[in-house]
Amino acid sequence: MKRKQIKRRPLADTVLEKLEPEASEYREHDSNGLYFRVKPNGSKSWNLRYKRPNGKWAWKGLGRFPQVSGRSAREKADEMMGIAADGGDLADHGKAEAPAVLFKAVAEDWYSRKQSEALAEKSLRLMRDGLDKDLLPSLGDIPLLEVTRADCTSAIEKIEDRGAWHIAKKARGWLKNMFSLAIAQGRCDLNPASELGHVARKAPPTVHHPHLLEDELPAFLRALSRSNSLYTTRAAVYMVLLTASRPGMVRHAEWSEVDLDNALWSVPAEKMKKSRDHLAPLPAQLIPILKNLEEITGLGQYLFPGSRANDVLSHTTINAALSRAGYKGKLVGHGSRHTASTLLNDHGWRRGYVDMQLSHAQKGVGGVYNKAKYLKQRRVMMQWYADYLDVLQAGITAEQKEQFALKVMG
């Protein structure tokens, strides 16, 4: 509501909530020297107008709204005016009190608890970056009890402004959880981040990673076979392609996780996006590639080490290899997962097998109770996939296509 619509004083909390900001900061009188201040950014707080012992008028802040309600502000104002009437200087009042808890203290407490939950390294890094780059610069030095909904909204809007829609969504949840933690600890009573979803801007439509469809695969596979990239790089590309794994999983694969005799790659939960162990069968075509790779990098920790000690293959290397093969802008490492999913689903493989191979979580109650790994079925499926890619590369005949269809039906 507009300030000119105010009809009664003292001001009711419902009126205070609805007061709209203006181009310039303004104060509205409430009672007994107490004023309600509204800033252009929507921040609202209480100010007391009082006379110092030297006869000069001054202002004293009594806290932000809604953390400090109208009733609490008036009680505090009466107390302060009594001190001023007795000759006390409110400018010095409260300086000996303990410093207020800042938002950053609660945020760091929340993060340390997340670290103790053994979350995936990628998830923790995302949280840390979100704190350091977005939330702490905006809110870190504000006293916890003075953080408003407008402050939280402003912090999220800055993330949305740069188009980081995924981070904005995550940050809304993180903020809400931080204040919930503070409430449980008795540090505050309100959660100013509880309704941020209602003012969230709609993200633009998702742009899928560049990927190939089945009729584009023969030319791509032949181009890849002629690639002049380093052997380790080509091995990484084939491992991404033949296991339908995330490029980051492949780049961080360790020899201790790979069992070439049993054609199985066991990825521990801490490396996975969904923080659960993942088993990836290795098609027969991939085994000789990895055995040759073992002669090159087998003495180290990683299958695909980087140029520096304790480092892995750069995140740009796989995409660069695809670009050199002539597929820049047409296919990226992550897009090969989309290619595999589309091809396997189009050929009739069960959705549950495909989702488990892609390490996708099943939605709803089924995802909670369905712990099946489908390893036996996925071995058959991924071997079918590798064989099918081989015949696509060589030039598939109608008879071969029928034979592969029969395999899936069987």
Side-chain angles (χ1 to χ4, degrees):
M1 64 181 292
K2 304 295 183 182
R3 55 192 297 200
K4 64 182 179 181
Q5 295 176 282
I6 297 174
K7 296 180 180 179
R8 298 179 183 178
R9 303 172 197 278
L11 304 171
D13 280 8
T14 53
V15 172
L16 301 174
E17 290 176 0
K18 296 177 182 178
L19 271 180
E20 299 175 7
E22 296 178 0
S24 300
E25 174 185 310
Y26 67 87
R27 291 186 178 94
E28 279 296 323
H29 180 251
D30 180 89
S31 60
N32 193 25
L34 181 63
Y35 289 79
F36 189 68
R37 181 174 66 174
V38 181
K39 290 185 176 182
N41 65 0
S43 175
K44 299 176 179 179
S45 59
W46 295 100
N47 284 179
L48 181 65
R49 178 75 163 165
Y50 73 99
K51 186 174 289 188
R52 300 187 65 185
N54 59 11
K56 294 183 178 181
W57 289 95
W59 291 100
K60 179 152 182 85
L62 298 184
R64 289 197 177 195
F65 178 86
Q67 285 81 358
V68 178
S69 66
R71 181 177 179 179
S72 297
R74 290 175 203 110
E75 291 175 352
K76 189 178 291 189
D78 289 342
E79 178 188 351
M80 294 294 103
M81 293 299 273
I83 293 173
D86 291 336
D89 191 345
L90 300 185
D92 299 325
H93 184 77
K95 286 189 175 180
E97 296 177 2
V101 175
L102 300 181
F103 170 81
K104 62 185 174 185
V106 173
E108 293 295 352
D109 184 13
W110 171 83
Y111 179 73
S112 67
R113 290 168 183 267
K114 291 299 178 183
Q115 286 181 303
S116 68
E117 293 176 9
L119 297 179
E121 180 183 343
K122 183 178 180 180
S123 297
L124 287 174
R125 185 167 62 250
L126 190 68
M127 292 174 181
R128 188 69 257 175
D129 288 346
L131 283 174
D132 294 340
K133 296 178 181 178
D134 298 305
L135 300 183
L136 293 183
S138 295
L139 306 171
D141 292 327
I142 301 177
L144 179 68
L145 295 178
E146 296 184 14
V147 178
T148 66
R149 295 188 188 279
D151 293 328
C152 295
T153 299
S154 177
I156 299 300
E157 285 178 344
K158 291 177 182 177
I159 303 174
E160 293 174 335
D161 285 343
R162 70 169 191 269
W165 304 104
H166 176 67
I167 299 299
K169 181 179 179 180
K170 289 284 187 182
R172 288 195 295 270
W174 296 338
L175 270 178
K176 183 178 179 181
N177 291 339
M178 289 173 198
F179 281 101
S180 293
L181 172 63
I183 290 172
Q185 294 173 329
R187 289 178 161 183
C188 65
D189 296 317
L190 298 173
N191 191 328
S194 62
E195 306 298 332
L196 293 178
H198 293 291
V199 293
R201 282 184 252 164
K202 186 176 181 180
T206 300
V207 178
H208 293 292
H209 295 284
H211 60 280
L212 302 178
L213 299 179
E214 182 173 335
D215 61 353
E216 300 172 291
L217 287 174
F220 161 69
L221 293 167
R222 288 191 282 271
L224 184 61
S225 68
R226 299 191 296 269
S227 170
N228 59 0
S229 295
L230 294 175
Y231 185 84
T232 52
T233 301
R234 283 185 282 128
V237 172
Y238 277 110
M239 191 166 178
V240 167
L241 185 66
L242 295 176
T243 63
S245 297
R246 297 180 178 89
M249 286 170 53
V250 170
R251 292 189 303 107
H252 288 86
E254 301 180 33
W255 284 112
S256 60
E257 301 165 357
V258 177
D259 183 347
L260 294 179
D261 293 332
N262 291 302
L264 188 64
W265 175 25
S266 303
V267 188
E270 58 267 22
K271 285 188 174 184
M272 295 300 297
K273 184 177 181 179
K274 300 297 182 182
S275 299
R276 64 182 184 188
D277 295 333
H278 179 64
L279 299 175
L282 303 176
Q285 289 87 334
L286 193 55
I287 299 302
I289 294 174
L290 295 183
K291 284 185 176 180
N292 289 337
L293 180 69
E294 190 175 24
E295 296 182 5
I296 302 172
T297 67
L299 295 179
Q301 177 181 359
Y302 297 105
L303 275 70
F304 308 104
S307 57
R308 294 178 296 180
N310 302 317
D311 196 8
V312 298
L313 199 68
S314 167
H315 70 281
T316 62
T317 302
I318 291 175
N319 288 345
L322 295 173
S323 295
R324 281 196 295 273
Y327 282 79
K328 183 176 183 180
K330 301 176 184 178
L331 177 66
V332 294
H334 205 97
S336 65
R337 288 165 54 80
H338 194 124
T339 295
S341 177
T342 302
L343 191 149
L344 291 169
N345 279 294
D346 283 351
H347 282 270
W349 290 96
R350 280 183 58 180
R351 177 71 178 270
Y353 302 167
V354 178
D355 284 347
M356 187 60 71
Q357 182 64 26
L358 297 172
S359 68
H360 285 167
Q362 182 178 344
K363 296 181 179 179
V365 177
V368 176
Y369 293 103
N370 185 7
K371 302 299 182 183
K373 299 291 186 183
Y374 298 129
L375 182 59
K376 180 179 179 181
Q377 296 91 332
R378 288 190 292 120
R379 280 190 184 277
V380 175
M381 180 180 72
M382 295 310 292
Q383 187 57 57
W384 177 96
Y385 181 61
D387 292 342
Y388 194 64
L389 292 183
D390 280 348
V391 297
L392 284 177
Q393 179 178 340
I396 190 169
T397 64
E399 182 181 356
Q400 287 175 316
K401 196 155 191 173
E402 184 176 348
Q403 291 174 347
F404 273 91
L406 288 173
K407 286 184 181 180
V408 173
M409 295 300 290

